[in-house]
Amino acid sequence: MNRGARVRAGGAVAAIVLLVAACSDEPLAPPPVDPAALAGAVGIDAVVGHLTELERIATEHDGNRAVGTAGYDASVDYVAGRLRDAGFDVQTPEFDVRSFDVETETLTVAGAPVPVRALEFSPSTGPDGLTARLVPVPADDTPGCEASDYDGLDVSGAVVLVTRGVCPFFVKQQVAAERGAAALLVANNEDGALAGATLGEEGNDLVPAAGISGADGRALAAAPTTVTLVLDTRVDSVRSRNVLAQTTTGSTDDVVVVGAHLDSVPEGPGINDNGTGVAAVLETALQLGSDPGVTNAVRFAFWGAEEVGLVGSTDYVASLDDAAREDIALYLNFDMLGSPNPGYLVYDGDDSDAVGAGPGPEGSAGIERTFLGYLTSRGVAADGTDFDGRSDYGPFVDAGIPSGGVFSGADDRKTPEQAGKWGGTGDAPFDPNYHSPQDTLANIDRAALAVAASAVGYGVGTYARTVTGPDGVPVGPQRAEVRSDG
């Protein structure tokens, strides 16, 4: 058949399809999702439009969108409203979360004050505080993260000083408590103050804990003495909400869950952390639509209370019965996509970097390859980043659900080698405004955000189309088998 014949045949088929459609009450099926087209549809102007609204909300509500505040409730209303306008059935399930307030936080050394900030959910010392000797824990590759870090030290009844790094603050607190310490001080790994740090809700049951600047930490470690620490804190219970919306099309036996946390820290508006993830996921949902041509249902989730210990996502995963958890094929997480000194990072599903927590659940390696391949197609040579438990993939990984996503970096430092690949400043934080009032739209790297936001669309489109193949995840009996083995 020559080209002209093919054109005529195509036209005839199209005419027949139109005639049948005109004579039928059945609506035409939506076209199959195209991952590349969805990636291209998640445009930077629309994403920035969502960020503009989130910043407006923060400005109108005491400068933040933190859990338990009117700013957070307004953020929920904005996201839920946009999704409903697009035809989604939106749910906002509630959960309990503990709020944290500080009446007094002081550290006195030889009669002089040293700036200190209570770690969120720190137990109280009471209004009178405690006075004890200071014992620095020598810094190593796991500062204060392992019991062996305390070998040879008598820390019973002492205030111990450890350096920030590697493990969550709660782990440092737990190890110090188990060795008999009365309180914990964490020195930042840079000269500035340690801000926006949390122990998570479990930390309220152990020893008081606070953060100091790196400069003050080095000074105290060089001349340990007796210190007086006052952390007069209070924990209350509040209600918060997640936002959930799912496509009406696609198999519910292989659900693709896509999430970003919606809350900020109290210290700032949270535009990079995590307005960028919210904006990219929201725009992906709006471009995909509520009834797209997908093989697998897509569930969009906007988590509450991430900044106080991944509470919203943890509550959600815990609320699922065994069948509902098994119906989730994979989880894609997007948290901080526009850092001002940006990295191009993909969660290390196969642990090829051999750093930190190890590989993700089976299938995570394929998710990593999907994102690495997409970024390569955009001319970006991405690096891996560890599943270190600091974002909402945590409860999904713990449940054996394959996970992945992209990330532009938080308070860790960009290496000189990474600066050589991507530009920016080596030996400087990816986001110097992390957990601060300066986390604003003016400090977003829009070029990095544009690439990351399109990657969100590509990942969602890829797995909405199929969860099998060389970069797929376990399905059917294999899924049940590998998760039970985990």
Side-chain angles (χ1 to χ4, degrees), residues 78-456:
Y78 173 72
V79 170
R82 291 301 306 267
L83 291 167
R84 290 191 178 106
D85 289 346
F88 284 94
D89 177 19
V90 180
Q91 308 295 321
T92 56
E94 295 186 348
F95 56 90
D96 289 318
V97 58
R98 291 192 291 179
S99 67
F100 179 71
D101 294 299
V102 180
E103 295 293 332
T104 306
E105 48 188 1
T106 62
L107 176 65
T108 305
V109 180
V114 175
V116 68
R117 300 190 73 165
L119 300 190
E120 192 163 35
F121 292 115
S122 169
S124 180
T125 63
D128 296 330
L130 62 87
T131 298
R133 58 198 172 88
L134 180 74
V135 178
V137 176
D140 61 9
D141 291 338
T142 60
C145 299
E146 300 174 353
S148 59
D149 294 338
Y150 288 79
D151 287 352
L153 298 176
D154 176 14
V155 300
S156 179
V159 175
V160 298
L161 173 64
V162 302
T163 304
R164 179 182 196 172
V166 182
C167 64
F169 296 111
F170 168 67
V171 173
K172 297 177 187 290
Q173 179 203 33
Q174 186 176 44
V175 173
E178 289 172 351
R179 295 304 296 257
L184 171 71
L185 289 177
V186 181
N188 203 359
N189 48 14
E190 57 185 54
D191 286 348
L194 182 63
T198 184
L199 295 167
E201 294 192 28
E202 301 93 338
N204 191 238
D205 298 325
L206 297 173
V207 296
I212 59 176
S213 72
D216 287 332
R218 290 191 297 274
L220 290 177
T225 183
T226 297
V227 302
T228 298
L229 177 67
V230 181
L231 302 176
D232 190 6
T233 63
R234 185 180 73 254
V235 176
D236 297 312
S237 181
V238 299
R239 298 286 281 173
S240 190
R241 295 179 288 169
N242 293 323
V243 179
L244 302 173
Q246 183 168 305
T247 58
T248 59
T249 49
S251 169
T252 55
D253 294 332
D254 292 296
V255 179
V256 177
V257 180
V258 187
H261 77 83
L262 185 52
D263 60 317
S264 76
V265 293
E267 288 80 8
I271 300 306
N272 190 36
D273 184 16
N274 180 39
T276 51
V278 168
V281 171
L282 176 58
E283 187 59 22
T284 298
L286 299 181
Q287 292 299 326
L288 183 66
S290 61
D291 57 351
V294 294
T295 306
N296 309 303
V298 181
R299 184 176 304 155
F300 296 98
F302 302 86
W303 308 117
E306 187 268 0
E307 295 288 6
V308 294
L310 318 183
V311 182
S313 56
T314 300
D315 181 86
Y316 172 76
V317 173
S319 74
L320 302 173
D321 60 24
D322 290 344
R325 280 194 300 274
E326 193 168 312
D327 286 341
I328 297 175
L330 67 146
Y331 175 66
L332 303 179
N333 189 74
F334 301 103
D335 186 355
M336 302 183 66
L337 305 181
S339 302
N341 187 29
Y344 294 87
L345 304 168
V346 175
Y347 290 116
D348 186 15
D350 62 0
D351 196 32
S352 56
D353 295 342
V355 172
E362 187 166 340
S364 302
I367 300 172
E368 180 186 7
R369 289 193 296 271
T370 293
F371 284 113
L372 287 173
Y374 176 74
L375 292 174
T376 297
S377 76
R378 294 288 302 261
V380 176
D383 283 353
T385 186
D386 182 42
F387 283 120
D388 60 8
R390 290 178 61 178
S391 194
D392 289 300
Y393 55 74
F396 289 89
V397 168
D398 290 344
I401 296 170
S403 299
V406 298
F407 177 47
S408 64
D411 51 339
D412 290 332
R413 289 178 175 270
K414 177 184 283 188
T415 67
E417 293 77 16
Q418 290 171 329
K421 285 200 301 183
W422 305 325
T425 305
D427 288 326
F430 292 107
D431 188 353
N433 309 306
Y434 178 70
H435 285 188
S436 80
Q438 287 72 48
D439 184 7
T440 63
L441 183 55
N443 290 320
I444 295 296
D445 187 299
R446 296 194 185 197
L449 177 57
V451 172
S454 70
V456 175

